[in-house]
Amino acid sequence: EAGVAQSPRYKIIEKRQSVAFWCNPISGHATLYWYQQILGQGPKLLIQFQNNGVVDDSQLPKDRFSAERLKGVDSTLKIQPAKLEDSAVYLCASSLAGLAGWEQFFGPGTRLTVL
Amino acid sequence: AQKITQTQPGMFVQEKEAVTLDCTYDTSDQSYGLFWYKQPSSGEMIFLIYQGSYDEQNATEGRYSLNFQKARKSANLVISASQLGDSAMYFCAMREGPGNTPLVFGKGTRLSVIA
């Protein structure tokens, strides 16, 4: 069974530019999460989707970050415009829905460097 | 207040020795889950072990065991017979409520195994 796929693996941009990350969850997983992991810290949730609906985006900086999961499968996270403090690893994870979704499966992450 | 506290930024252990990584948590939920993940330098999050709040027995997975002390709100990871490949960041995480709720992570502990 294929795992969670993310692309690109690495991205370097200058501040004020825009960037987009893509995530394809494990087939059949209704729940998708985006986490931000700043160097030296643990991951922090940005947004959680259930199918194509947003469950929790309370920690998403909505003035510059946006995310969508239009068909309830793959998802895109966008930053526009990027700031230096957005340099981090962006991790996508997926799980089954409901009680069966106790375990999250993580993708390899996208490492973003903002210069 | 932090929900997950890992007080050891870094630990050293001799190869073949056992090591304990500390984790304390804070929640008012009766139903919750505790996780440990390993993150090598390549960046992927590798699931190690899980303990549910209602589980009476401490979880074990191969060389990993979770020392769950509910009254003290601690969930320490014990790695037995350390190997050089165990050198990595280790994160404790908690899910509050049943099912597919987001994970809250600690700041991590960097474990270095010495030959």
Side-chain angles (χ1 to χ4, degrees):
Chain A
E1 178 180 290
V4 177
Q6 289 188 249
S7 68
R9 291 295 312 277
Y10 305 92
K11 190 74 177 179
I12 300 174
I13 61 173
E14 297 195 346
K15 59 183 178 184
R16 292 188 288 273
Q17 286 187 322
S18 62
V19 65
F21 313 129
W22 175 81
C23 171
N24 192 33
I26 292 173
S27 177
H29 281 194
T31 309
L32 186 147
Y33 313 80
W34 283 102
Y35 292 88
Q36 179 192 56
Q37 185 178 17
I38 293 173
L39 186 66
Q41 298 181 21
K44 182 189 79 172
L45 179 76
L46 290 175
I47 189 167
Q48 177 187 358
F49 290 96
Q50 180 84 0
N51 297 309
N52 62 350
V54 174
V55 176
D56 183 354
D57 64 356
S58 58
Q59 298 184 83
L60 187 74
K62 298 180 186 64
D63 57 334
R64 299 182 299 105
F65 285 65
S66 64
E68 59 184 18
R69 194 184 183 199
L70 293 176
K71 296 182 180 178
V73 181
D74 56 349
S75 175
T76 302
L77 177 69
K78 296 180 181 177
I79 308 175
Q80 183 180 12
K83 291 185 174 181
L84 296 177
E85 59 261 36
D86 298 332
S87 293
V89 175
Y90 291 85
L91 293 163
C92 179
S94 70
S95 72
L96 294 169
L99 294 177
W102 65 272
E103 184 180 1
Q104 296 181 21
F105 297 81
F106 284 84
T110 296
R111 187 178 298 273
L112 173 68
T113 302
V114 182
L115 303 175
Chain B
Q2 287 193 29
K3 287 185 176 288
I4 296 288
T5 303
Q6 294 181 253
T7 56
Q8 306 153 314
M11 291 277 289
F12 288 90
V13 64
Q14 202 78 28
E15 197 178 6
K16 300 180 186 176
E17 297 288 311
V19 63
T20 298
L21 305 184
D22 294 342
C23 172
T24 58
Y25 61 92
D26 182 26
T27 182
S28 56
D29 281 9
Q30 296 300 308
S31 175
Y32 54 89
L34 297 156
F35 299 77
W36 277 93
Y37 286 87
K38 173 184 178 181
Q39 189 176 45
S41 55
S42 54
E44 74 266 35
M45 296 292 281
I46 301 169
F47 166 74
L48 295 178
I49 196 165
Y50 167 79
Q51 180 86 40
S53 58
Y54 295 117
D55 296 339
E56 295 185 352
Q57 302 274 355
N58 285 344
T60 60
E61 289 284 350
R63 295 186 299 112
Y64 305 107
S65 60
L66 199 153
N67 184 1
F68 181 46
Q69 298 188 42
K70 197 169 183 177
R72 297 181 60 186
K73 293 190 174 179
S74 75
N76 298 339
L77 176 70
V78 180
I79 305 175
S80 62
S82 296
Q83 302 171 356
L84 294 177
D86 293 336
S87 294
M89 283 293 290
Y90 287 80
F91 291 96
C92 179
M94 177 174 64
R95 182 210 70 228
E96 292 181 286
N100 58 341
T101 56
L103 295 174
V104 176
F105 287 82
K107 292 185 175 181
T109 295
R110 179 170 296 283
L111 178 66
S112 298
V113 181
I114 305 166

